[in-house]
Amino acid sequence: MASIPRILVIDTKGQLADIVRAGMTMLHRPHILVDVPSGRDAVDEIVQYNFDLMVTALSLENGATGIDLAERAIREQAGTPILVVAQQGDESPPSSDVTGKPFHFVEHPAGDQFLRALRIGLDGEEVVQAEENVSTEFDIGPIPNINVNGARDHIHSILIESGAIGAMLCDRVGRILVEEGAMGYVDKSVVATSLGPSFPQAIKIGPQIGGTGWSLKYYTGDRYSLFALAAGYHHFVIFLFDATQTAAIGAMTRYGRSGIHDLIDQIGPDAWTYVEEVVVMDHGDYVDDIPPEPVIEKRRTTTIQIEDVLQDEPEEEKSVFEEAEPFLEPVDDLDLDALFGQDVGNGDDLFGDLEDDTSFTFGEEGVSFDEAQDMGLLGD
């Protein structure tokens, strides 16, 4: 599926293009719109280019109808979704002309019916039904935008490294945003719409296991194995493997999850942001003993993904000698003669008068054993 849909609009009156453009703006869908005034110009465009949707007015030039053009377009470009739109003043065609045909007929080119027809034409009826069911059962707010080109690069890289035969990025309602490889072996719409609503349920499971409740779903059969990895609460990526590839689980563990985390980082905090409904009770006075209805407020909540935090490295232990301050002040110009009261000289014969068998003397007289003991020179 193209990241930006190309829409062909055919209308002799020149009004339908503005209505389609306004509808796409209301749907917040970027698009490329080609506007032509006649069925002949439309056929020329269809022959040369591929379109994701064709919207034609019921009444065209020279008595031709949008139904005739739709049948011709189906032959030229099979599978292209087509809307035939009746405008003011048009007579409704017989039911046999529009019932069971491979195009969608819209009676009025405005309103919710027309917007829903645009969504069906762009995304498929299964996707629209899934989105409507999800919005009533478990509404978590708008789906955040994603850089499709950047996501495509991530997915293509994982596809090559893991050996998958196909991959696609989808949002939680089943819209296919990126498709790589050979995904045509399975019904992409059925797979996407079936798996999409299950990923936001991690909001309920996350508090039970801690964190955001990241999930990986694995299905295997006789022909293929399928992995679906969450990229936040709103998007997920599907990888398709041949069933004989027994190393697929290891590949998904090794390459898939790391690549998905890169994709989540690309989305940013919005990947884990959702709308939470909070019931607020009004405790004011009751009217006729009837309690007031609870007011439901919708608040945006972000579940923070807890990452491994690196501990600060301990500071290097410093030597006590480096930290200790000197306990004596340095003395400038030390005078040894003044300190000892004698000339020290060069110190060569400081103990020159001592012999092995002589006792240590103070001045002229020796010190006996008893005197030394009394003086405390010999200890206890």
Side-chain angles (χ1 to χ4, degrees):
M1 174 182 176
S3 57
I4 299 180
R6 291 176 54 87
I7 303 175
L8 176 63
V9 178
I10 309 98
D11 181 22
T12 305
K13 300 176 182 178
Q15 301 173 351
L16 192 54
D18 292 336
I19 297 173
V20 172
R21 191 177 292 109
M24 295 296 289
T25 301
M26 294 179 65
L27 295 174
H28 305 286
R29 299 286 295 269
H31 60 282
I32 299 172
L33 192 144
V34 178
D35 180 19
V36 295
S38 68
R40 178 175 299 178
D41 294 330
V43 172
D44 292 340
E45 291 288 335
I46 293 170
V47 170
Q48 297 184 58
Y49 306 103
N50 291 325
F51 291 91
D52 299 286
L53 176 64
M54 189 181 88
V55 183
T56 176
L58 177 61
S59 298
L60 297 177
E61 78 287 354
N62 300 325
T65 68
I67 296 175
D68 298 332
L69 177 61
E71 293 175 347
R72 172 72 183 273
I74 292 168
R75 294 194 299 269
E76 297 291 343
Q77 197 175 118
T80 302
I82 301 173
L83 301 184
V84 178
V85 183
Q87 297 175 295
Q88 186 175 5
D90 290 338
E91 294 184 3
S92 297
S95 59
S96 58
D97 289 349
V98 296
T99 303
K101 297 297 179 67
F103 58 82
H104 192 76
F105 176 72
V106 184
E107 293 185 358
H108 303 285
D112 293 340
Q113 182 188 11
F114 181 69
L115 290 178
R116 189 175 188 274
L118 278 179
R119 290 163 56 204
I120 291 175
L122 292 169
D123 304 322
E125 190 168 3
E126 297 87 353
V127 172
V128 174
Q129 290 177 349
E131 185 176 13
E132 291 171 346
N133 292 335
V134 169
S135 63
T136 57
E137 295 176 2
F138 189 51
D139 183 9
I140 61 172
I143 298 174
N145 294 325
I146 186 171
N147 183 340
V148 174
N149 292 329
R152 188 186 304 277
D153 293 339
H154 278 299
I155 294 171
H156 181 75
S157 177
I158 302 172
L159 179 74
I160 299 301
E161 293 176 348
S162 65
I165 61 176
M168 59 184 184
L169 169 68
C170 312
D171 62 22
R172 69 173 195 253
V173 298
R175 278 189 291 261
I176 301 172
L177 307 178
V178 171
E179 182 182 338
E180 290 288 317
M183 284 300 302
Y185 291 113
V186 297
D187 191 324
K188 296 172 290 186
S189 180
V190 170
V191 171
T193 55
S194 299
L195 292 177
S198 65
F199 284 96
Q201 300 296 329
I203 294 172
K204 300 177 181 178
I205 302 299
Q208 312 303 320
I209 58 177
T212 55
W214 184 87
S215 58
L216 181 153
K217 303 180 188 300
Y218 171 51
Y219 300 86
T220 187
D222 296 334
R223 292 177 296 174
Y224 305 107
S225 295
L226 187 148
F227 293 82
L229 293 78
Y233 293 135
H234 308 278
H235 299 89
F236 63 101
V237 182
I238 293 173
F239 292 96
L240 186 67
F241 290 83
D242 191 282
T244 59
Q245 191 169 350
T246 57
I249 294 179
M252 282 290 93
T253 303
R254 186 164 55 252
Y255 302 114
R257 185 164 183 176
S258 62
I260 292 301
H261 280 314
D262 292 340
L263 185 59
I264 293 172
D265 291 341
Q266 187 182 101
I267 301 173
D270 286 342
W272 305 106
T273 301
Y274 61 96
V275 172
E276 182 180 16
E277 290 189 352
V278 179
V279 178
V280 179
M281 298 299 297
D282 184 1
H283 297 285
D285 296 334
Y286 292 174
V287 178
D288 297 331
D289 295 329
I290 300 176
E293 292 290 332
V295 178
I296 299 178
E297 294 184 357
K298 292 188 176 182
R299 302 176 183 175
R300 288 176 61 83
T301 303
T302 300
T303 303
I304 299 175
Q305 178 74 20
I306 301 176
E307 303 289 349
D308 294 333
V309 180
L310 296 178
Q311 299 295 328
D312 294 334
E313 295 183 358
E315 296 183 0
E316 296 182 359
E317 295 184 0
K318 297 181 179 180
S319 171
V320 294
F321 300 104
E322 295 177 357
E323 294 181 349
E325 296 182 357
F327 55 88
L328 290 178
E329 294 293 335
V331 178
D332 297 332
D333 301 328
L334 178 62
D335 189 349
L336 295 178
D337 294 338
L339 179 62
F340 295 104
Q342 58 181 348
D343 186 8
V344 176
N346 58 13
D348 291 340
D349 55 353
L350 189 60
F351 300 99
D353 295 337
L354 295 178
E355 295 183 0
D356 294 339
D357 56 351
T358 60
S359 60
F360 186 77
T361 61
F362 286 92
E364 299 294 334
E365 301 180 356
V367 180
S368 67
F369 179 82
D370 293 337
E371 290 174 337
Q373 190 174 28
D374 293 340
M375 294 172 66
L377 297 177
L378 303 178
D380 296 335

